[in-house]
């Protein structure tokens, strides 16, 4: 058994998992010691400027320092730091990477989208059980990018698209009144752009083959909490939840139509996600509708969608086994 620590540094949040990893004839099993998330918005403005904002770097480094203390206290023997979309795009990422290296004493990795997708798939399917019919499409909606990964016991096709909740918010909703929902004209422009990105993605990932659609990461888990009517965030209820298409649509409409302060007051909404959840919800809605339509064209039926609490963070930990 190995005690490992994985850090997933994305566009909106930075997360830590310290776990004991055990490998046996049934595969890899993680026993969590701690899971942490801090919303630091590292990718703030990167889509427009191509650079990290100094204040965003400072916020993220503060979280890394905090995580290093937890890792040391729990005695992890292996540590892996994976940075994704925003770090791929920022021209001054070396400044950030150098700071992380000096704190953790390891070499941080800025991974390409294909590796990000593979890690997400590995984590997502690690604990879904035998009920998930293959091929599965795992969708990881992040702040700066979205990964679509088709596979069974392993990845068959994958793509990372520069389309995430923060990126869409900054492109289309930056001037929206937070005291109201997203205006229809803004929604329509965002949807048109999202659909264009998905047109390209489906040239790489064959959506017609999908039998089970699995959503992971903060946008999807937050929407699932809303769909389930939870008062607080309860991962044991969210993980493995099977939602109808109507439940998903109602949760999406709520996040798009309600003012920011209403969403911020939800007991399951992490501070710092309330202003980008509408964009993430639209991305998820368009993906679900497209996958369902392609299945129908092939004479099969997808009438529910599965949520997994496990994602790239679990994949990072598993990779250290």
């Amino acid at each position: 058994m190995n005690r490992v620590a994985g850090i997933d540094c994305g566009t909106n949040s930075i997360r830590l998992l310290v776990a004991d990893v055990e490998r046996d004839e049934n595969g890899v099993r993680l026993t969590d010691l701690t899971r942490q998330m801090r919303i630091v918005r590292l990718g703030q403005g990167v889509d427009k400027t191509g650079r990290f904002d100094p204040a965003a770097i400072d916020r993220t480094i503060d979280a890394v320092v905090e995580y290093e203390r937890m890792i040391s206290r729990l005695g992890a023997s292996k540590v892996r730091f994976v940075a994704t979309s925003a770090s791929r795009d920022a021209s001054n990422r070396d400044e950030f990477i150098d700071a992380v290296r000096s704190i953790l004493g390891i070499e941080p990795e800025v991974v390409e989208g294909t590796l990000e997708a593979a890690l997400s798939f590995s984590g997502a399917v690690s604990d879904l059980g035998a009920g998930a019919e293959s091929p599965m499409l795992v969708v990881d909606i992040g702040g700066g990018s979205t990964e679509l990964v088709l596979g069974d016991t392993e990845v068959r096709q994958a793509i990372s698209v520069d389309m995430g909740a923060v990126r869409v918010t900054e492109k289309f909703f930056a001037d929206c009144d937070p005291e109201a929902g997203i205006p229809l004209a803004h929604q329509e422009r965002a949807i048109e752009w999202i659909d264009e990105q998905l047109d390209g993605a489906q040239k790489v990932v064959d959506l017609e083959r999908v039998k089970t659609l699995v959503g992971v990461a903060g946008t999807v888990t937050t929407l699932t909490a809303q769909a389930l009517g939870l008062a607080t965030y309860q991962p044991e209820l969210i993980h493995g939840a099977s939602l109808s298409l109507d439940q998903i649509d109602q949760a999406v409409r709520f996040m798009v139509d309600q003012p920011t302060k209403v969403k911020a007051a939800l007991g399951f909404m992490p501070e710092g996600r309330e202003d980008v959840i509408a964009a993430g919800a639209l991305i998820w809605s368009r993906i679900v509708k497209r996958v369902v339509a392609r299945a129908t064209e092939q004479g099969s039926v997808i009438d529910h969608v599965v949520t997994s609490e496990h994602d790239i963070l679990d994949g990072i930990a598993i990779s250290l086994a």
Side-chain angles (χ1 to χ4, degrees):
M1 184 180 294
N2 294 318
R3 180 161 294 183
V4 303
I7 298 176
D8 165 37
C9 183
T11 300
N12 197 43
S13 65
I14 182 168
R15 300 180 300 149
L16 167 71
L17 170 61
V18 181
D20 288 331
V21 185
E22 188 172 6
R23 185 182 293 276
D24 56 28
E25 65 276 6
N26 296 316
V28 177
R29 184 172 68 254
L30 295 177
T31 302
D32 293 8
L33 298 174
T34 188
R35 283 181 187 261
Q36 301 287 330
M37 179 182 71
R38 304 290 181 267
I39 293 184
V40 293
R41 198 67 59 87
L42 175 63
Q44 178 180 350
V46 168
D47 187 64
K48 182 177 181 180
T49 67
R51 294 178 59 82
F52 284 139
D53 183 276
I57 292 178
D58 288 345
R59 291 193 299 268
T60 310
I61 291 301
D62 286 346
V64 175
V65 170
E66 183 183 8
Y67 286 172
E68 191 280 329
R69 292 170 181 157
M70 295 179 189
I71 292 167
S72 297
R73 185 174 70 250
L74 292 169
S77 60
K78 297 179 181 179
V79 181
R80 187 176 185 186
F81 182 102
V82 171
T84 55
S85 177
S87 297
R88 290 194 292 267
D89 296 344
S91 60
N92 61 337
R93 63 177 173 268
D94 287 348
E95 175 187 346
F96 171 63
I97 293 300
D98 289 346
V100 173
R101 184 188 299 112
S102 67
I103 294 165
L104 295 178
I106 61 166
E107 190 60 35
E109 302 172 57
V110 179
V111 299
E112 293 302 319
T114 50
L115 178 53
E116 181 180 358
L119 289 169
S120 294
F121 185 84
S122 171
V125 304
S126 63
D127 191 30
L128 280 183
E133 184 181 0
S134 295
M136 295 175 280
L137 181 70
V138 172
V139 178
D140 184 340
I141 301 172
S145 67
T146 294
E147 284 66 52
L148 295 93
V149 196
L150 184 72
D152 36 56
T153 57
E154 59 184 89
V155 173
R156 302 299 177 182
Q157 298 172 335
I159 189 170
S160 179
V161 185
D162 287 337
M163 170 183 70
V166 174
R167 199 182 296 266
V168 170
T169 299
E170 292 183 351
K171 277 182 176 294
F172 299 102
F173 304 154
D175 61 347
C176 292
D177 181 0
E179 297 300 316
I182 305 298
L184 183 59
H186 289 67
Q187 294 179 44
E188 290 173 343
R189 287 196 293 271
I191 287 171
E192 181 181 7
W193 184 83
I194 291 166
D195 286 347
E196 288 174 357
Q197 311 316 303
L198 294 177
D199 288 342
Q202 72 175 33
K203 294 176 182 177
V204 178
V205 176
D206 187 359
L207 301 183
E208 295 178 350
R209 295 173 56 192
V210 177
K211 297 299 183 184
T212 304
L213 178 56
V214 182
V216 304
T219 287
V220 174
T221 56
T222 303
L223 285 168
T224 301
Q226 171 66 25
L228 294 175
L230 302 182
T232 60
Y233 195 86
Q234 297 177 261
E236 70 279 5
L237 297 180
I238 292 169
H239 180 64
S242 179
L243 300 180
S244 70
L245 303 182
D246 283 344
Q247 284 179 296
I248 294 170
D249 188 57
Q250 290 174 22
V252 168
R253 291 318 320 163
F254 180 90
M255 295 303 177
V256 172
D257 294 339
Q258 291 298 316
T260 301
K261 65 181 180 181
V262 171
K263 292 178 281 191
L266 296 169
F268 53 77
M269 181 68 68
E271 183 179 355
R273 180 162 288 134
E274 67 277 1
D275 61 334
V276 299
I277 188 65
L282 283 179
I283 293 171
W284 186 224
S285 174
R286 301 311 295 173
I287 292 171
V288 171
K289 290 181 187 300
R290 185 170 295 225
V291 171
V292 169
R294 296 298 173 270
T296 302
E297 291 170 3
Q298 296 303 305
S300 59
V301 176
I302 294 179
D303 57 9
H304 68 281
V305 176
V306 178
T307 300
S308 176
E309 270 283 319
H310 302 287
D311 54 26
I312 186 174
L313 190 58
D314 301 77
I316 294 167
I318 290 169
S319 74
L320 292 171

